[in-house]
Amino acid sequence: MKHIPNLFTLINLFFGCIAITYILQNGIIIVNDEQGTQLLEIPEKIWLGSLFIALAAVVDFLDGFVARLFGATSALGKQLDSLADAVSFGVAPGMIVYQFLRLSYSSEPDGVEVPVLMLMPAFIISCAAAFRLGKFNLDDSQQFGFKGVPTPAVGLLIASFPLIYWYSESPAAVELMHNKWLWYAVIVIVSYLMVSNLPLMALKFKNFSVKSNLPKLILLVAAIIAGILLKWLAVPVVFILYIILSLAFKNKTT
């Protein structure tokens, strides 16, 4: 019974590995538009990688719930959880950014021959995730508030980008993803947010008081409205709002 939560954790890791497989499948492909012009694209199946990152996040939530349900929390489970998260929400998202950087450079003249060195910064995200998880394991004070953005939040943010790229109704958002500087900015910002000590709220309810849970309730309502109006674009919007609310209600998140 004590290893049931660990099984959930390993399923998280399993989904993360599947996500990486889909993200790297085929690489950049050449397509033709209606005029016969050749265009470069990333394979649409990359969105399946996003799906498995999301599934890993669901299982990541459940393993903690199951551990408490069975009273089977353990030091081994804590370490396994971080190892799985490093793959599902560190390596896999880094691969997504790597693919989008390739696409951005491929959209430029002679961009197909881009030096690998220019794509390597994508894996700073993976390193920052591992650093954040290691720091989290040594800090017992982050039960109802985080120091830095949790890796699953960053993983879900980056997993939303392929879905926005393929299914967004905003041409401007899609075009923006062809800009390499956007991806370098994403790398710097999310990596900093993970390793920083910014006081950010954990989405756990200590009680049912509206006053003490106000930032979480605002975020929940905003997420529902944004999801209806913006669809997949809602994910980065809610992520930014999460940061803003955490800092605005800092006394309630620490």
Side-chain angles (χ1 to χ4, degrees):
M1 295 291 286
K2 68 180 182 180
H3 285 298
I4 291 177
N6 294 339
L7 176 61
F8 277 78
T9 301
L10 293 175
I11 293 173
N12 167 6
L13 175 60
F14 187 74
F15 284 157
C17 294
I18 296 174
I20 292 170
T21 301
Y22 279 114
I23 292 164
L24 294 182
Q25 186 168 296
N26 296 328
I28 301 296
I29 59 175
I30 299 176
V31 297
N32 295 315
D33 63 10
E34 295 177 354
Q35 288 74 39
T37 304
Q38 287 190 337
L39 302 172
L40 292 164
E41 284 289 4
I42 56 175
E44 187 172 0
K45 284 187 177 180
I46 195 174
W47 75 267
L48 286 171
S50 299
L51 171 63
F52 277 99
I53 291 175
L55 289 173
V58 172
V59 176
D60 183 53
F61 170 80
L62 289 176
D63 68 1
F65 175 79
V66 171
R68 290 187 293 272
L69 181 65
F70 287 98
T73 56
S74 66
L76 173 62
K78 186 175 183 180
Q79 301 303 322
L80 277 178
D81 187 69
S82 289
L83 290 170
D85 286 358
V87 174
S88 299
F89 312 121
V91 178
M95 294 289 189
I96 289 177
V97 174
Y98 174 87
Q99 287 286 49
F100 272 109
L101 270 176
R102 290 183 64 208
L103 175 66
S104 301
Y105 276 102
S106 297
S107 302
E108 301 176 351
D110 300 321
V112 177
E113 304 298 329
V114 57
V116 175
L117 188 63
M118 304 302 292
L119 308 176
M120 293 293 184
F123 302 117
I124 293 175
I125 293 173
S126 308
C127 295
F131 184 89
R132 191 260 184 280
L133 289 163
K135 187 171 71 169
F136 177 81
N137 277 2
L138 297 175
D139 189 349
D140 295 325
S141 67
Q142 299 188 55
Q143 184 177 5
F144 291 104
F146 293 119
K147 297 175 184 176
V149 175
T151 52
V154 170
L156 290 173
L157 169 68
I158 295 176
S160 72
F161 292 137
L163 297 166
I164 293 170
Y165 183 79
W166 283 105
Y167 302 112
S168 173
E169 297 176 359
S170 170
V174 174
E175 183 61 29
L176 184 62
M177 292 190 182
H178 285 270
N179 189 324
K180 63 188 178 187
W181 300 114
L182 166 71
W183 298 110
Y184 288 131
V186 166
I187 292 166
V188 171
I189 292 170
V190 300
S191 297
Y192 166 74
L193 288 174
M194 281 191 284
V195 302
S196 72
N197 288 316
L198 290 175
L200 301 172
M201 61 181 167
L203 300 180
K204 297 178 181 178
F205 291 84
K206 297 180 183 179
N207 51 53
F208 296 102
S209 166
V210 173
K211 183 178 180 180
S212 61
N213 293 304
L214 184 59
K216 300 181 184 71
L217 294 173
I218 293 174
L219 184 66
L220 177 62
V221 172
I224 294 171
I225 295 173
I228 295 171
L229 298 178
L230 301 176
K231 298 180 180 178
W232 292 114
L233 272 171
V235 178
V237 170
V238 171
F239 181 86
I240 294 170
L241 184 60
Y242 167 68
I243 305 294
I244 294 172
L245 286 172
S246 293
L247 297 179
F249 292 87
K250 184 165 61 172
N251 62 321
K252 295 182 183 296
T253 61
T254 56

